[in-house]
Amino acid sequence: MKSSTMAAMRSSLRGPVIDPRDAAYAEARKVYNAMIDKHPAAIVRCADAADVMAAVALVRDHGLEPAVRGGGHSGPGLCLVDDGVTIDLSPMRWTRVDPAARTAEVGGGALLSDLDHATHAFGLATPAGIVSSTGVAGLTLGGGHGYLTRKYGLTVDNLLSADVVLADGRFVTADENEHPDLFWALRGGGGNFGVVTSLTYRLHPVDTVGVGITVWPVGLTREVLAWYREFLPRAPEDVYGFYTMFVIPPAPPFPEEIHGRTMCGVVWCHTGDPGRLEETFREIFASIGDPGPPAFHFASPMPYPALQSMFDELIPSGYQWYWRGHFFDRIPDGALDVHLEYGERVPTPLSLMHLYPVDGAAHRPGRDDTAWSYRDAVWSGVLAGVDPDPANAEIIRRWCVDYWDALLPYSMGGSYVNFIGAGEGPERVLATYRDHYDRLAEVKRTYDPDNFFHANQNIEPAPRP
């Protein structure tokens, strides 16, 4: 990058502009996934929306390539671009709660931990993820699901408005009344339409929740998953449980005798009466029969933010990650065999598979109400190879890809856009948006006709008429 361009950036912004010569550069270019090794020409840390507007104008006017970073959780590393400029919102980690209106406004760089901390003080929350270090904006723009989804819907079902800096430098607010086409697209269409500097959410009464972890030996995968596929869709919406296969870590609450063993099971969240927690679990296991005694069952009331952060230390920033996803509307017997096969050969102790429920309240909005195009899905699945050692990167990637390929015949054809892995290609984006793609392309043409924002799971602008 020309020194004059760098000087213009530094003189125009309140936040720091970091280039490869700066001591802070090596740390600034790190993202959650250590498999990503990209070298931007500059990282612009924006202090506020005015900084974002200035950064967009400078990047555009100097013919540079932009990327946008919120929480830095992008699996394929789309928040960085080699030799371009990362517009980094990480300084914008603020949250303002209106407890009377039950709303929260959140800065574009905020993490789920910031949102949960602020809202929990008032006994409120909104559905968003399961790992507290996830960026709020990126999760939301992909659609967003989490522990509260069966009770209160997707994250985008609770989004009331968004402030956006467009490719031409304009600042707009998108909601049901202003720029409703943009608001529709932002609710699941990813980072294609501009830089989202703040988001406003509807909140719900959530304080202490019931938390449970129930695991069985992985050899019982067929039995456990066959039970789970019948139970979960029939369960009351107060009951959320994501199915998982993982290696038991040497940490509480797991007893020493199962440390290091591969297990399958369910992580539960109960939003009903905390006093009925044990009774609820007795009812769960008596409801339609069970797959046999679990190797371990834990249940306890817990503040909602504690549940959200429960797995943070097991999968911290800086590990090698490769993930891919599928949507499923059913789990046929053939899929049980696939899960057993790949569960019995999990390649590293941190690699995992999750099936997140996206039914219940998430099924109530109309199919075309938002850009999220899989209102008929029951589960959003993710397969993730994880390991701290770069030497194992290909091992975890191969396990993930082979597992994904084997499940493809049982999937709905697309996935949660935030679970699209590196190298999947534009056909995967098409499969994820289905017949919403053309409408999204028209919105893209309106707000970003030159595809300025293309470091994302890209939706190309529709041709000009």
Side-chain angles (χ1 to χ4, degrees):
M1 182 186 295
K2 293 179 180 179
S3 58
S4 58
T5 304
M6 191 69 69
M9 286 186 175
R10 289 193 164 117
S11 66
S12 301
L13 280 81
R14 293 177 63 206
V17 178
I18 303 168
D19 72 30
R21 297 166 297 179
D22 292 323
Y25 179 79
E27 188 66 27
R29 73 180 186 89
K30 288 181 180 179
V31 291
Y32 188 76
N33 183 2
M35 201 177 283
I36 305 305
D37 185 25
K38 295 181 182 180
H39 294 78
I43 299 166
V44 179
R45 288 197 159 156
C46 297
D48 51 27
D51 267 5
V52 175
M53 295 168 73
V56 167
L58 286 161
V59 171
R60 183 191 65 239
D61 294 347
H62 287 84
L64 301 171
E65 187 172 3
V68 181
R69 173 176 175 156
H73 252 249
S74 170
L78 299 175
C79 46
L80 299 173
V81 60
D82 284 323
D83 302 320
V85 176
T86 288
I87 299 171
D88 186 349
L89 308 185
S90 58
M92 300 169 64
R93 286 183 60 178
W94 51 266
T95 303
R96 288 194 292 268
V97 178
D98 182 337
R102 290 186 175 176
T103 62
E105 186 179 4
V106 181
L111 307 182
L112 298 191
S113 58
D114 302 316
L115 173 61
D116 293 334
H117 170 77
T119 58
H120 185 68
F122 302 99
L124 301 168
T126 201
I130 68 161
V131 175
S132 74
S133 60
T134 306
V136 176
L139 177 135
T140 301
L141 295 176
H145 50 68
Y147 289 113
L148 304 179
T149 287
R150 298 194 75 238
K151 180 73 171 179
Y152 295 121
L154 302 174
T155 308
V156 291
D157 298 335
N158 295 278
L159 183 66
L160 299 174
S161 68
D163 291 337
V164 189
V165 176
L166 303 175
D168 62 7
R170 284 183 297 148
F171 177 92
V172 301
T173 296
D175 58 24
E176 292 285 4
N177 299 309
E178 297 183 69
H179 303 281
D181 54 342
L182 177 60
F183 186 55
W184 176 86
L186 291 172
R187 287 175 290 168
N192 274 278
F193 308 98
V195 184
V196 175
T197 59
S198 71
L199 308 105
T200 301
Y201 299 94
R202 178 186 302 109
L203 303 177
H204 304 274
V206 178
D207 193 339
T208 298
V209 296
V211 176
I213 304 174
T214 312
V215 297
W216 292 261
V218 73
L220 291 175
T221 292
R222 294 188 92 265
E223 293 82 358
V224 175
L225 192 48
W227 167 77
Y228 172 80
R229 72 182 178 187
E230 298 300 321
F231 166 75
L232 194 282
R234 305 180 192 177
E237 291 177 2
D238 276 333
V239 175
Y240 175 98
F242 75 79
Y243 182 87
T244 179
M245 289 191 309
F246 68 114
V247 178
I248 300 294
F254 302 106
E256 186 175 352
E257 59 266 25
I258 64 171
H259 288 176
R261 294 177 59 187
T262 304
M263 295 279 176
C264 62
V266 184
V267 177
W268 306 98
C269 174
H270 177 239
T271 52
D273 179 0
R276 292 193 65 251
L277 183 59
E278 290 296 343
E279 182 182 349
T280 296
F281 280 112
R282 285 195 297 272
E283 291 171 357
I284 285 173
F285 296 120
S287 59
I288 55 171
D290 64 59
F296 172 74
H297 174 69
F298 162 84
S300 176
M302 192 176 290
Y304 179 68
L307 170 61
Q308 283 280 77
S309 60
M310 189 164 62
F311 299 113
D312 288 5
E313 292 186 9
L314 298 180
I315 44 175
S317 177
Y319 284 2
Q320 305 285 306
W321 279 80
Y322 188 86
W323 64 45
R324 288 192 177 188
H326 282 302
F327 280 128
F328 302 97
D329 57 357
R330 58 183 61 85
I331 304 172
D333 288 349
L336 304 182
D337 296 329
V338 172
H339 287 299
L340 175 60
E341 176 187 353
Y342 285 89
E344 289 186 324
R345 51 190 180 98
V346 172
T348 60
L350 293 172
S351 297
L352 52 87
M353 183 280 291
H354 290 172
L355 290 173
Y356 302 112
V358 287
D359 63 334
H363 279 185
R364 285 199 277 277
R367 186 183 181 281
D368 298 326
D369 287 354
T370 65
W372 174 280
S373 65
Y374 277 86
R375 290 291 177 180
D376 47 345
V378 180
W379 291 280
S380 171
V382 65
L383 322 167
V386 188
D387 197 73
D389 189 351
N392 289 327
E394 180 54 27
I395 294 171
I396 61 176
R397 192 195 73 84
R398 187 74 264 158
W399 174 80
C400 180
V401 172
D402 289 348
Y403 195 173
W404 185 91
D405 285 342
L407 286 174
L408 183 59
Y410 308 106
S411 80
M412 299 176 72
S415 76
Y416 179 37
V417 69
N418 290 341
F419 290 159
I420 296 178
E424 290 196 61
E427 65 279 357
R428 192 64 178 159
V429 177
L430 283 167
T432 289
Y433 291 118
R434 299 199 285 190
D435 57 354
H436 285 174
Y437 186 89
D438 288 346
R439 182 176 172 185
L440 285 163
E442 291 174 0
V443 178
K444 178 77 168 177
R445 181 182 62 202
T446 299
Y447 292 94
D448 186 13
D450 298 319
N451 206 9
F452 177 73
F453 296 110
H454 58 268
N456 44 48
Q457 300 298 352
N458 195 233
I459 298 163
E460 293 189 3
R464 289 180 173 88

